[in-house]
Amino acid sequence: MRLAALSRLVRLSLARERRGAFFSAFGVAMGVGALVFFVGLGLGVGRVIREKIFPNDARLVDVVPPAVSLGSFLGGGKLDAAMVERLQALPDVEKLHRKMSVRVPAASLYNGDFFGRRLRMGVDVLAVGVDPGLVEGDVQLGKFVDPGPGQPLPVLISTRLLEIYNNTFAPARKLPRLAPGMLVGFTFPVDFNRSYVAASQPNAPVISSQLQVVGASDRALLAGVTLPLDTAVRLNRELGQDADTFTGVTLVARSPGAVPDIVAAVKEMGLEIDDQERRLAENVGAAVTLTTSALALLSILICVLAAVNIAHALSASVRARAKEIGVMQAVGASRSDVRNIVLAEAGVVGLIGGFLGTLAAILLALVIDRLAASYLPQFPFKPESFFSFPWTVVVGGVVLGLLAAVAGAWFPSHRAAATDPARTLAG
C-alpha cells in the first residue's frame, strides 16, 4: 500500500474515532510530560550542584599529607620539595600546583566605608598560598605574585563565598550586594598571628598588612582568602613557622581517565586524597538522581498504562471494524497492509501525545521558573532555571510516546491482520 493511501485511511479512521484517539493521546501526553518534566528537573538541579555549589574539574586531584604519618619509617607521607618532585614525575601528571597555609591565625578589623555603607566588623581570616598557575585565569588586577614586605598583598576570594554573602549575610545586615568585579581593588587590613577566637603563637610576632582583592575564583579558599604561594612562604618564615613543607598539592591529570592511576600512585607514596567536596557532591547528586529516578519510574508506569489503554481501544476498534477490514482484504489488501494501518493509527496518536506532553513539560517548567524568580526569596546558588532540557530529552519524549503507542497497538494490529475476510463477510 502506498504511503498516500495509508495516510488517507489513517486520517479517516482517526477522524471517525476522534474521542478514543483523544483519550489515548491524552494518556500518552500525561506519561511523557511527567517523565520529561522530572528528568529536566533532575538534570537542572544536578547542573547547579556541579557548576555552582561544588564546581570541580574532573582532571584535578588534591593531595594532602595523611592525618597520621609514618613517613619517617615508610619513606613517605611528607609534602616537602622531594615529594613534590616525585609527584611531578608521575607519568599521567600534566601539571602540579603547590599550596601552603599561613600557619598562624589572622584577624581583620574593618572600620570605614563599605560600598556606600558604614561598616565596623572584626572577623578571623584563614589564608592559603597557591601557585599562580592554578588561578591565573581569575586574576583581574596586576600579577598574582608576592609584592614584598610593606605592600598590599594580592588575594582572591571564593565566588561561592561571595554568593553566600550576597544572599544571606548582606540582606540580613542591609549591606550592598556585590558583583565580583566590584571587589577588584578593594583593600582591608589584616593582622597575622592575631585572632578573636583562636590562640596565637606566643613566640611569633604580629605582622600587620593590607589585603587587596584582585579577583574571584572557584578554586579560591571557601572560608578565607587565597594568596600567592611565595607570600605564604615569606609570612611563615617571618612568623617562625614551617615554610618548607606544603599543606597540599593539586595535580592536573592528562585526562579524566588517568585520575584513578594517579590516585593509586599517590596513596602508595603514603599521601591522601582530599576528595571531601567531590564525595559530598556525589552524595548530593546521588540523592537527586534517586529522587528523579523514582519520579521517572512513576512516569514510565503512566506510559505503560497509556499503552494498555491504546491496546484496549484499538482492540475494540478492530472488533467494530471487522467487516470493513474484511472488505479491504477482499479487494486486495494484504495482511501487512491491515497491520500497518492499525500501527500507523497508533503511531500518529503516540506522536501527537508525545509532542504535546513534551511541550507541556517545557511550558510548565518555564512557568515554574518565572514564578520562582518572582516569588521565591533570594538564596545562595539560586539558579535562573531549575530545569535543563537537552535535545536528547526533548526528542526522547516524542519517541517514547511513539513507542508506547506502537507497543500498545502491536497485538490489536496482528489480530486485525488475522481476520478471515470470507467468514467476516458471511456474517
Side-chain angles (χ1 to χ4, degrees), residues 48 237 255 290 299 315 318 370:
V48 174
R237 286 202 179 103
S255 66
L290 181 62
S299 304
S315 295
V318 167
R370 182 70 61 87

Side-chain angles (χ1 to χ4, degrees), residues 22-356:
F22 170 80
F23 284 109
S24 295
F26 179 77
V28 172
M30 287 290 292
V32 170
L35 180 62
V36 172
F37 178 84
F38 290 126
V39 170
L41 178 60
L43 292 176
V45 174
R47 180 189 60 195
V48 174
I49 293 171
R50 292 190 309 273
E51 297 179 2
K52 290 189 174 184
I53 302 178
F54 302 109
N56 211 334
D57 189 332
R59 296 194 304 149
L60 298 185
V61 179
D62 290 322
V63 181
V64 294
V68 178
S69 176
L70 299 177
S72 58
F73 298 101
L74 304 179
K78 187 178 181 181
L79 268 179
D80 53 12
M83 181 63 75
V84 168
E85 290 182 1
R86 290 178 60 191
L87 291 171
Q88 180 69 75
L90 292 176
D92 294 318
V93 173
E94 182 177 301
K95 296 179 182 178
L96 179 147
H97 303 291
R98 300 163 297 169
K99 298 180 181 180
M100 181 183 292
S101 296
V102 178
R103 291 184 163 96
V104 296
S108 174
L109 176 61
Y110 186 84
N111 185 11
D113 178 75
F114 186 75
F115 299 94
R117 297 291 179 90
R118 185 73 180 178
L119 179 64
R120 177 180 173 84
M121 184 178 70
V123 63
D124 271 32
V125 179
L126 299 177
V128 63
V130 301
D131 276 324
L134 182 64
V135 293
E136 58 186 355
D138 301 314
V139 177
Q140 302 179 36
L141 179 65
K143 295 183 178 180
F144 199 63
V145 295
D146 181 28
Q151 300 297 318
L153 307 178
V155 297
L156 290 167
I157 60 171
S158 170
T159 53
R160 292 180 290 171
L161 179 62
L162 187 59
E163 177 76 14
I164 295 171
Y165 162 83
N166 282 334
N167 294 294
T168 56
F169 188 85
R173 289 161 178 79
K174 297 182 180 180
L175 294 173
R177 287 187 171 92
L178 304 174
M182 295 173 61
L183 280 170
V184 174
F186 178 73
T187 60
F188 56 97
V190 65
D191 291 332
F192 291 100
N193 199 31
R194 179 170 292 167
S195 173
Y196 296 107
V197 295
S200 57
Q201 295 293 331
N203 298 323
V206 174
I207 299 178
S208 298
S209 185
Q210 293 281 326
L211 302 181
Q212 183 178 50
V213 179
V214 296
S217 173
D218 290 337
R219 297 177 180 175
L221 182 65
L222 175 60
V225 294
T226 300
L227 301 158
L229 178 63
D230 291 342
T231 301
V233 172
R234 175 173 62 83
L235 289 172
N236 281 329
R237 286 202 179 103
E238 293 177 359
L239 292 163
Q241 304 301 308
D242 179 12
D244 297 321
T245 60
F246 303 98
T247 52
V249 171
T250 298
L251 305 178
V252 183
R254 300 187 186 279
S255 66
V259 168
D261 292 337
I262 293 177
V263 170
V266 167
K267 291 182 177 180
E268 288 181 0
M269 296 180 182
L271 301 173
E272 292 183 355
I273 304 299
D274 183 10
D275 59 349
Q276 182 177 0
E277 283 201 4
R278 190 190 301 272
R279 286 187 284 108
L280 187 57
E282 290 176 352
N283 291 338
V284 175
V288 172
T289 301
L290 181 62
T291 304
T292 303
S293 300
L295 296 173
L297 178 60
L298 178 62
S299 304
I300 292 175
L301 292 177
I302 296 175
C303 291
V304 172
L305 292 177
V308 173
N309 177 64
I310 290 174
H312 177 74
L314 286 179
S315 295
S317 176
V318 167
R319 288 194 298 269
R321 295 158 54 191
K323 289 188 177 181
E324 176 187 332
I325 294 173
V327 171
M328 291 173 58
Q329 291 178 323
V331 297
S334 65
R335 291 192 173 187
S336 62
D337 291 336
V338 174
R339 185 185 306 113
N340 290 338
I341 291 172
V342 177
L343 291 175
E345 292 175 9
V348 171
V349 170
L351 280 176
I352 294 174
F355 173 77
L356 293 178

